[in-house]
Amino acid sequence: MTSPPNPPPPNPPSAQPRYPVRVDLPAHANGGPNGDTPDYPGDPISEPYATLTAVAPAPELPSVPMTAERLPRWAGWAVPLGFTLGGLLALPSGISPGLVLPVVMIVSAAFIYLWSRSVEGARYALDRLVTAIVTSAFLIAMIPLVSVTWTVVDRGTGRFDWDFFSESMRGIVGAGGGGYHAITGTLIVTALACVISIPIGLLCAIYLVEYGKDNRLSRWLTFFVDVMAGIPSIVAGLFAYALFVHISGPGVRMGIVGAVALSVLMIPVLVRATVEMLKIVPNELREASLALGVPTWRTIAKIVIPTSLGGIAASVTLAVARIIGETAPLLITLGITTGTNFNPFSERMATLPVFAYTQNQTPGIARNGMGPPGFDRAWTAALILIMIVMALNLLGRLIARLFAPKTGR
Amino acid sequence: MAKRIDVDQLNIYYKDFLAVEDVSMNIEARSVTAFIGPSGCGKSTLLRSLNRMHEVIPGARVEGKVVIDGQDLYAPNVDPVGVRRSVGMVFQKPNPFPTMSIRENVAAGLKLNGTKLRKATIDELVERSLVGANLWNEVKDRLDKPGAGLSGGQQQRLCIARAIAVQPDVLLMDEPCSALDPISTLAVEELISELRQNYTIVIVTHNMQQAARVSDRCAFFNIAGTGKPGKLIEMGPTQKIFSTPSVKATEDYISGRFG
Ligand SMILES: Nc1ncnc2c1ncn2[C@@H]1O[C@H](COP(=O)(O)OP(=O)(O)OP(=O)(O)O)[C@@H](O)[C@H]1O
Ligand SMILES: [Mg+2]
């Protein structure tokens, strides 16, 4: 750094290459090196280094120790556990659990922060505090999920029997009957919604990413997709209903109307997710394909889509999971019926969410010491819906993993 | 097979930014031409405009002529897809298709072009291309394994095999060895020397020794400052450019005294 490099000895004429870069000329290059060129005037090597001698020493920085006192390993889980036990012991005295939980969380966080600060120093203490806050937030967020799952499983298993999967509500007044007609209806309407929205959504996303490339139309499309994503589901239902009133007259109730309403909700979800998936396909792959003389549409079909297929399939399943539980639009467009209807182009159709809703509204009369039979049927319908959504989520992950590009050897 | 390229008064733009100004040059058939010059002087830009890959970037356009064997690439009736079939390209970063096996990667150009070929023909072309790219011995036992599982140097040779499988007339290479170790670099350089017999090759490189080793002719580009367009300073036989360049800037650059 401080001493200048030794100046090289002056070049003996035409004995050494004239440049510091040593080049071995290939045999195929025309001619050979000629010695009759004038000698290089300056000293090419030492000149660029001349400026390096003037560098001042860097100012000294405070040194950071490489070892630090730490809390015992068990501190992270033992402290919250201890305070939770304390909170549980306090429960019999009549304090509400809703108060105990936040108190336990706050006291544990404060305790571990202060303890850590006195032993480990400010940086580790802050780390522990943030860990405590994030963990608490996670636990609080889990409460509704666990509680819903627990309640639905608890109450839904009562009618989770063969009859529920094989019988409709036709002619049923009291207990008995089932949700067969609602299950088939949900499957038919959702499948129809997929048939409508998957092509539209995928093609729209492909246009936005592959062809639109930020032109005016694609910017407007993106804007409208975002607006569409904010449409309340009841409005989507009203739209589909109004649309079909123009075609089939007032009071129309058909599976297809519900499917259109669900498509309005599904398309923006699908477009947004697919756009993200297509955007993460590296541009180099498109260029590599185009440079081979492959037309754009084949590049998209054979390179871009296969590369992002896992992500696209996962977004489709998640979009389906998103709409399969919609109630309001289906209540308007499909209504409810007691019998099984396989034809989405005529008459009313039952679906699981609407079935759960109506069973809850008109549960029937309690008899023989049992509660109203409609409540049980509503819970079971809800349980089946949750199971379908969970299965779709798992399926989405499975698909994403199966189709992910392989890099292994 | 090999074809010569004549570039005539070419201006290359990104939207309103003039990246390369007024380049005129002749690239000989069956020879290796090297583009050298400082970063940002428009070597890649010019290279990409030789097979109409430049226009893939939104807002990018070109003025002037690029004539390959008498056909102006930028004439209105020219199909860029056809141009790219006869002018292949190898990129700086190896970019095998991740969803495809080694065999499928090499055959990608043949299959995706929509040419109907029998499987035996494709297999033969795959083997010839891999042999041509000096990769056959390393991968012949695992042709059905993913192409992305190869090492960086092997991936780059796989990309070269993929490019020569469609039998282009011209091969453009943008710093093909910049991500490779010396041994892979040597393999690629040997490959370039062999390919010279059948192809017209244009290679961009920052490695002076490499330019001197592999090229027959050399073009030096320079840029007056940031925001200014890059220009062709001089072009000639490599031996002459490296020993007696006619412009001072070329001499400075080659001798490592640039900037
Ligand atoms: N996609 C792009 N959009 C706008 N400007 C670009 C784009 N790509 C390159 N440029 C500009 O064009 C000029 C030439 O770039 P180019 O990539 O051709 O340089 P290069 O000579 O290949 O440099 P390097 O040796 O670093 O690869 C630069 O000023 C660069 O900023
Ligand atoms: Mg470049």
Side-chain angles (χ1 to χ4, degrees), chain B residues 38-45 47-48 92 174-175 204 206:
Chain B
S39 191
C41 68
K43 306 177 295 295
S44 305
T45 306
L47 195 74
R48 289 167 60 93
Q92 177 169 359
D174 193 350
E175 301 182 41
V204 174
H206 279 299

Side-chain angles (χ1 to χ4, degrees), chain A residues 208-230:
Chain A
L208 289 179
V209 178
E210 304 293 332
Y211 290 96
K213 298 211 176 101
D214 245 13
N215 65 15
R216 184 163 304 188
L217 177 61
S218 77
R219 280 203 299 273
W220 278 108
L221 273 178
T222 312
F223 175 71
F224 283 124
V225 166
D226 287 349
V227 170
M228 222 171 133

Side-chain angles (χ1 to χ4, degrees), chain A residues 277 280-282 285 299-312 403-405, chain B residues 97-100:
Chain A
M277 292 302 147
I280 57 176
V281 174
L285 296 182
T299 299
I300 295 168
K302 302 284 177 158
I303 304 291
V304 177
I305 301 218
T307 308
S308 55
L309 192 61
I312 293 177
F403 285 101
Chain B
F97 299 127
T99 49
M100 299 185 182

Side-chain angles (χ1 to χ4, degrees), chain A residues 346-380:
Chain A
S346 89
E347 287 308 312
R348 295 155 185 267
M349 229 176 183
T351 48
L352 278 171
V354 181
F355 176 74
Y357 173 76
T358 47
Q359 286 299 316
N360 186 54
Q361 289 299 97
T362 50
I365 301 149
R367 228 177 250 165
N368 308 340
M370 309 265 284
F375 286 159
D376 287 342
R377 291 192 285 254
W379 281 112
T380 305

